[in-house]
């Protein structure tokens, strides 16, 4: 009986030690936690290819094209052809137009797709170096849509077409703003300083279509 109780006590202490080791990941007193697979996983935004830092940088470059884009934007940032910002700005524009009583989802993405493809052809014909991806063009033109979003937000509260000369001035400023921003991004990100006027003209036509869609 003494031997049997002694063996039972020893097996009980061994099982308690194993259970403790399973919970702590090591021997008693070490206090180390096991390394799980969750610790090695990347954040979900990185897995989706969304870089919030680059989105903020490109958005600020559109808002301040003369100062910010000239000093911050370079080829390394523009190589990140993220589409999160352009898709968000396009969807935001569609929602703003919907709030103004216009259902223009198909026109927005239709004009955007045609404009991006046409601009890609023009830019690759005038590019002095490597070929420029269509995703780079979509990213730049999409981010430069931000001033149109501001105009569309203003149009929700007061119709710009009823402002007379002030509405014409706002439309012209928005087109110029988008054109300068997109041209500056192409110039800095794709090394196309000498071709900036050739790029600016089709960009101005594209954003004129978006502005007219917003106002009328």
């Amino acid at each position: 009986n003494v031997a049997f109780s002694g063996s039972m006590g020893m097996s009980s202490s061994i099982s308690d030690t194993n259970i403790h080791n399973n919970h702590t990941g090591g021997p008693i007193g070490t206090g180390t936690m096991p390394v799980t697979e969750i610790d090695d996983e990347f954040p979900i935004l990185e897995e989706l290819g969304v870089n919030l830092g680059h989105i903020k940088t490109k958005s600020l470059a559109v808002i301040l094209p003369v100062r910010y884009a000239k000093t911050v934007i370079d080829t390394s940032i523009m190589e990140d052809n993220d589409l999160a910002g352009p898709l968000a700005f396009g969807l935001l524009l569609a929602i703003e137009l919907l709030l103004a009583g216009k259902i223009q989802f198909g026109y927005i993405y239709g004009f955007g797709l045609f404009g991006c493809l046409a601009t890609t052809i023009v830019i690759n014909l005038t590019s002095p170096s490597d070929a420029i991806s269509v995703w780079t063009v979509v990213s730049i033109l999409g981010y430069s849509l931000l001033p149109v979003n501001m105009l569309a937000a203003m149009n929700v509260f007061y119709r710009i077409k009823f402002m007379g000369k002030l509405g014409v001035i706002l439309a012209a400023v928005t087109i110029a703003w988008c054109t300068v921003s997109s041209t500056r991004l192409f110039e800095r990100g794709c090394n196309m300083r000498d071709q900036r006027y050739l790029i600016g003209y089709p960009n101005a036509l594209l954003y004129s279509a978006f502005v007219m869609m917003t106002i009328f």
Side-chain angles (χ1 to χ4, degrees), residues 38-115:
I38 299 177
D39 298 330
D40 297 332
E41 292 182 357
F42 294 102
I44 188 169
L45 291 179
E46 292 186 6
E47 292 184 357
L48 295 175
V50 178
N51 191 324
L52 296 179
H54 285 183
I55 292 176
K56 178 182 177 181
T57 301
K58 293 178 182 179
S59 299
L60 289 176
V62 171
I63 297 174
L64 303 171
V66 178
R67 280 178 129 180
Y68 197 83
K70 187 175 181 180
T71 57
V72 177
I73 295 297
D74 55 11
T75 306
S76 62
I77 294 180
M78 298 313 301
E79 287 177 353
D80 180 17
N81 301 325
D82 66 286
L83 301 180
L87 290 176
F89 291 153
L91 181 60
L92 178 60
L93 179 60
I95 294 174
E96 289 169 338
L97 293 181
L98 183 62
L99 293 175
K102 304 174 184 178
I103 303 177
Q104 305 279 6
F105 288 89
Y107 287 105
I108 290 174
Y109 288 103
F111 272 113
L113 179 61
F114 177 77

Side-chain angles (χ1 to χ4, degrees), residues 12-25:
S12 176
S13 63
I14 292 174
S15 63
D16 292 341
T17 303
N18 291 333
I19 293 174
H20 186 79
N21 288 340
N22 289 335
H23 281 287
T24 59

